[in-house]
Amino acid sequence: MTTHVLADTGVLTGRSLKHILRSPDTIITTAITPIALMLLFVYVLGGAITTGTDQSYIDYMLPGILLITIASGISYTAYRLFLDMRGGIFERFQSMPIARSSVLWAHVLTSLVSNIVSVAIVIGVALIMGFRTGASFGAWLGVAGILVLFTLALTWLAVIAGLSAKTVDGASAFSYPLIFLPFISSAFVPTSSMPGPVAWFAENQPVTSIVNTIRALFAGRSVGADIWIALAWLLGVLIVAYAIAVSIYRKKLR
C-alpha cells in the first residue's frame, strides 16, 4: 500500500513539475519581488537603518527575505490546486486506480521543489550583493531544515485555500498577509525600535523567532530558545493545516 502511494505521488509530482518547467515564469516571478526588496533595502534604505549589531545589513535582513520568497511562492500552489479542482482533474483521478492522498502530496512536493529553487536564486543574488556567512555545514543544514518546515507549513495552508476558494483571485489572495508578516517582525529592524503595541506583536508572532534562529545560524551564534519557539510554531501550524486540508479534501470527494 505504501509503495503504491509513493509511486502515485511520484507520477503526479512529475506531472506538476512538468507544468512548472513549461512555464518557469512562476519561479522567476517569485524570486523577483524578494530580490527587488533586497536592492531597495540594502542600497536605498539600509544606510538609514540601525540594527544594533556589527552585521552588514544584507546579512541582517536576508532571513526575512527568504521567508518572503517562500510566502510569495506558495500562492501558486493554491492557484494550481484551484485550477485542478475547477478543471475536473480531481474527478478524473477518482475514476483511476490511484491513491487519493497522492493528489494533494503531489502539489505539496511541487511547492517544496519550486520554492527551494526560488530560495537558491535569492541566496545567489544575496552573495553577489555581499552576503557573507561563517555558518558551518551543520548550521546550513539547520537553516535548510527550518526553511523546509516553513515551506511545508505554508503549503498546507495554501492547500486549504486552494480547496476552499470560490475564485482564482481568492485562491492566491490568502498569501498576502503572510508576505506582509515579516515586515512586522525582527526581519528588517530590531523590535526594540518599534512602538509598544507593535513591538509586543512583533516579539510574539512566529516570524520573529524563525528569523532570529536563521540569523543566528548564519552568524555562527547560539540560537538560544528561539529555535524551540520557531519549531513549536512551525510544527503546530503544519499539523493543524494538514488536518484541516485533509478533512476538506475528503468532504470534496464525497
Side-chain angles (χ1 to χ4, degrees):
M1 180 64 179
T2 302
T3 304
H4 176 51
V5 173
L6 292 176
D8 291 343
T9 301
V11 171
L12 294 178
T13 302
R15 164 187 171 269
S16 297
L17 288 174
K18 285 179 181 177
H19 290 170
I20 292 179
L21 290 175
R22 289 170 186 165
S23 56
D25 54 298
T26 56
I27 292 178
I28 295 171
T29 304
T30 299
I32 283 177
T33 300
I35 290 171
L37 285 173
M38 280 199 299
L39 293 170
L40 174 64
F41 275 91
V42 172
Y43 295 124
V44 179
L45 303 176
I49 297 175
T50 302
T51 63
T53 71
D54 56 358
Q55 285 181 299
S56 67
Y57 192 60
I58 182 68
D59 292 354
Y60 183 87
M61 52 97 74
L62 181 61
I65 290 293
L66 297 180
L67 299 190
I68 289 175
T69 304
I70 294 169
S72 300
I74 53 99
S75 64
Y76 287 103
T77 300
Y79 171 76
R80 288 189 292 265
L81 188 57
F82 176 83
L83 291 184
D84 276 357
M85 289 286 294
R86 290 301 164 127
I89 297 294
F90 276 28
E91 287 78 4
R92 201 173 307 165
F93 286 155
Q94 278 186 269
S95 65
M96 301 169 65
I98 63 172
R100 292 185 175 185
S101 61
S102 62
V103 177
L104 291 187
W105 275 108
H107 281 281
V108 171
L109 294 178
T110 300
S111 170
L112 186 59
V113 171
S114 61
N115 277 293
I116 287 173
V117 173
S118 296
V119 164
I121 292 171
V122 171
I123 291 176
V125 174
L127 288 169
I128 295 172
M129 292 173 61
F131 168 66
R132 296 295 179 266
T133 174
S136 64
F137 179 72
W140 271 104
L141 286 179
V143 170
I146 290 171
L147 292 178
V148 166
L149 272 178
F150 185 76
T151 303
L152 289 174
L154 264 60
T155 298
W156 281 106
L157 289 176
V159 170
I160 295 173
L163 292 173
S164 306
K166 304 300 182 184
T167 65
V168 172
D169 291 336
S172 55
F174 88 100
S175 66
Y176 297 153
L178 300 177
I179 296 171
F180 184 70
L181 206 55
F183 291 98
I184 315 177
S185 73
S186 63
F188 298 100
V189 296
T191 56
S192 58
S193 67
M194 302 175 184
V198 179
W200 180 89
F201 175 79
E203 281 288 344
N204 293 281
Q205 62 119 320
V207 169
T208 290
S209 58
I210 298 169
V211 164
N212 290 345
T213 299
I214 295 174
R215 186 179 291 141
L217 288 170
F218 275 148
R221 300 194 309 265
S222 171
V223 295
D226 279 318
I227 190 170
W228 303 115
I229 298 172
L231 289 175
W233 272 110
L234 290 172
L235 291 173
V237 171
L238 175 58
I239 292 169
V240 172
Y242 172 79
I244 294 174
V246 170
S247 175
I248 294 173
Y249 181 57
R250 286 173 177 167
K251 290 178 181 177
K252 291 280 184 181
L253 296 182
R254 286 175 185 171

